[in-house]
Amino acid sequence: MPRAKDNRKAVGTEHCGECGTLARFYQVQKGNRTGYLYRRCECGADQRTGAAVQVKWLETMQRTGETMIPHPLEGSREPAPEPAKPAPEEPENTPEPRAKSEGNPKTENKRAGLIGLAAMAGAVAVALFT
Ligand SMILES: [Zn+2]
Protein backbone atom coordinates (compact mmCIF):
# COMPACT_ATOMS: atom_id res chain seq x y z
CA MET A 1 0.00 0.00 0.00
CA PRO A 2 1.62 3.21 -1.12
CA ARG A 3 2.13 5.81 1.51
CA ALA A 4 0.88 9.26 0.89
CA LYS A 5 3.87 11.40 1.47
CA ASP A 6 2.23 14.36 3.07
CA ASN A 7 0.04 14.17 6.08
CA ARG A 8 0.33 10.62 7.22
CA LYS A 9 2.95 11.04 9.84
CA ALA A 10 1.53 10.98 13.29
CA VAL A 11 3.02 13.69 15.42
CA GLY A 12 1.49 12.37 18.58
CA THR A 13 -0.41 9.52 20.12
CA GLU A 14 -2.62 8.87 23.07
CA HIS A 15 -4.51 5.93 24.40
CA CYS A 16 -8.15 6.23 23.58
CA GLY A 17 -10.23 5.25 26.54
CA GLU A 18 -13.29 4.68 24.41
CA CYS A 19 -12.11 2.20 21.80
CA GLY A 20 -9.02 1.09 23.64
CA THR A 21 -6.67 1.61 20.74
CA LEU A 22 -3.92 4.04 20.13
CA ALA A 23 -5.24 7.30 18.84
CA ARG A 24 -2.92 9.17 16.55
CA PHE A 25 -2.64 12.85 16.00
CA TYR A 26 -1.85 14.35 12.65
CA GLN A 27 -1.49 17.88 11.51
CA VAL A 28 -3.37 19.65 8.82
CA GLN A 29 -0.83 20.24 6.10
CA LYS A 30 -2.31 23.13 4.25
CA GLY A 31 -5.01 25.70 4.17
CA ASN A 32 -6.38 27.96 6.84
CA ARG A 33 -5.82 25.44 9.54
CA THR A 34 -2.30 24.43 8.77
CA GLY A 35 -0.75 22.97 11.86
CA TYR A 36 -4.03 22.14 13.52
CA LEU A 37 -4.25 18.70 14.97
CA TYR A 38 -6.74 16.04 14.16
CA ARG A 39 -7.10 12.78 15.89
CA ARG A 40 -7.81 9.33 14.52
CA CYS A 41 -8.65 6.13 16.29
CA GLU A 42 -11.19 3.37 16.01
CA CYS A 43 -13.81 5.86 17.08
CA GLY A 44 -13.23 7.74 13.89
CA ALA A 45 -11.65 11.04 13.10
CA ASP A 46 -11.89 13.93 15.45
CA GLN A 47 -11.36 17.10 13.56
CA ARG A 48 -12.50 19.62 16.05
CA THR A 49 -10.68 22.88 15.68
CA GLY A 50 -11.71 24.63 18.85
CA ALA A 51 -8.85 26.22 20.70
CA ALA A 52 -9.67 24.35 23.87
CA VAL A 53 -9.43 20.91 22.35
CA GLN A 54 -6.48 21.80 20.17
CA VAL A 55 -4.48 23.08 23.09
CA LYS A 56 -5.51 20.12 25.20
CA TRP A 57 -4.28 17.72 22.54
CA LEU A 58 -1.06 19.60 22.21
CA GLU A 59 -0.47 19.30 25.90
CA THR A 60 -1.60 15.76 26.47
CA MET A 61 -0.53 13.82 23.43
CA GLN A 62 2.59 11.75 23.53
CA ARG A 63 4.79 13.29 20.91
CA THR A 64 6.30 10.93 18.41
CA GLY A 65 9.24 13.09 17.60
CA GLU A 66 8.04 13.80 14.09
CA THR A 67 8.77 17.30 13.05
CA MET A 68 5.73 19.37 13.75
CA ILE A 69 4.39 22.30 11.91
CA PRO A 70 4.31 25.11 14.44
CA HIS A 71 0.86 24.96 15.87
CA PRO A 72 -1.03 28.21 15.48
CA LEU A 73 -2.23 28.03 19.05
CA GLU A 74 0.88 26.75 20.66
CA GLY A 75 2.59 29.38 22.72
CA SER A 76 -0.54 31.39 23.23
CA ARG A 77 -1.08 29.54 26.45
CA GLU A 78 2.26 28.07 27.22
CA PRO A 79 4.30 29.91 29.76
CA ALA A 80 7.95 30.43 29.08
CA PRO A 81 9.05 26.98 27.96
CA GLU A 82 12.57 27.33 29.21
CA PRO A 83 12.99 26.98 32.92
CA ALA A 84 15.19 29.68 34.28
CA LYS A 85 18.67 28.42 34.66
CA PRO A 86 20.13 28.93 38.09
CA ALA A 87 22.76 31.58 37.94
CA PRO A 88 26.20 30.20 38.60
CA GLU A 89 27.01 30.97 42.17
CA GLU A 90 30.00 32.99 43.02
CA PRO A 91 32.59 31.05 44.90
CA GLU A 92 32.22 31.82 48.53
CA ASN A 93 34.78 33.98 50.11
CA THR A 94 36.99 32.54 52.73
CA PRO A 95 34.87 32.55 55.84
CA GLU A 96 35.81 35.40 58.01
CA PRO A 97 37.70 34.28 61.04
CA ARG A 98 35.38 34.85 63.92
CA ALA A 99 38.11 35.12 66.45
CA LYS A 100 39.24 38.61 66.98
CA SER A 101 42.65 38.01 68.29
CA GLU A 102 45.35 40.55 68.79
CA GLY A 103 46.91 39.42 65.53
CA ASN A 104 46.92 41.18 62.23
CA PRO A 105 43.65 40.22 60.51
CA LYS A 106 44.83 41.04 57.01
CA THR A 107 47.76 38.70 56.95
CA GLU A 108 45.72 36.05 58.70
CA ASN A 109 43.04 36.37 56.07
CA LYS A 110 45.51 35.84 53.31
CA ARG A 111 46.89 32.77 54.89
CA ALA A 112 43.44 31.41 55.48
CA GLY A 113 43.02 27.72 55.15
CA LEU A 114 43.21 24.90 57.55
CA ILE A 115 46.56 25.90 58.88
CA GLY A 116 45.41 29.49 59.25
CA LEU A 117 42.30 28.39 61.07
CA ALA A 118 44.25 26.13 63.36
CA ALA A 119 46.66 28.92 64.11
CA MET A 120 43.72 31.18 64.74
CA ALA A 121 42.21 28.73 67.17
CA GLY A 122 45.51 28.55 68.89
CA ALA A 123 45.65 32.30 69.08
CA VAL A 124 42.18 32.37 70.59
CA ALA A 125 43.17 29.80 73.16
CA VAL A 126 46.19 31.82 74.03
CA ALA A 127 44.07 34.95 74.26
CA LEU A 128 41.61 33.20 76.54
CA PHE A 129 44.26 31.92 78.86
CA THR A 130 46.17 35.10 79.28
ZN1 LIG B 1 -11.22 5.71 20.17
Side-chain angles (χ1 to χ4, degrees):
M1 157 174 146
R3 231 165 66 140
K5 75 173 185 177
D6 54 1
N7 58 355
R8 303 311 299 169
K9 279 187 277 187
V11 296
T13 59
E14 81 172 356
H15 180 79
C16 177
E18 285 170 54
C19 63
T21 68
L22 197 66
R24 289 181 169 79
F25 293 97
Y26 301 91
Q27 286 192 293
V28 178
Q29 299 294 306
K30 55 190 168 185
N32 286 342
R33 303 210 184 277
T34 301
Y36 271 60
L37 294 168
Y38 60 95
R39 179 183 184 277
R40 291 190 65 87
C41 67
E42 296 298 316
C43 304
D46 188 342
Q47 304 188 47
R48 282 176 292 164
T49 54
V53 71
Q54 288 286 320
V55 169
K56 189 191 87 170
W57 284 344
L58 268 178
E59 287 173 355
T60 59
M61 72 180 184
Q62 194 80 41
R63 306 209 176 189
T64 60
E66 282 294 340
T67 310
M68 285 184 67
I69 299 168
H71 194 285
L73 298 172
E74 188 168 37
S76 58
R77 278 218 201 161
E78 266 186 30
E82 273 193 35
K85 283 180 193 162
E89 268 181 46
E90 305 233 339
E92 247 178 71
N93 286 331
T94 316
E96 195 154 338
R98 55 200 157 103
K100 292 207 164 47
S101 64
E102 76 288 347
N104 181 347
K106 271 187 190 162
T107 26
E108 278 168 17
N109 235 344
K110 281 195 180 147
R111 286 195 223 125
L114 282 181
I115 295 171
L117 285 178
M120 191 85 55
V124 174
V126 169
L128 283 178
F129 284 110
T130 43

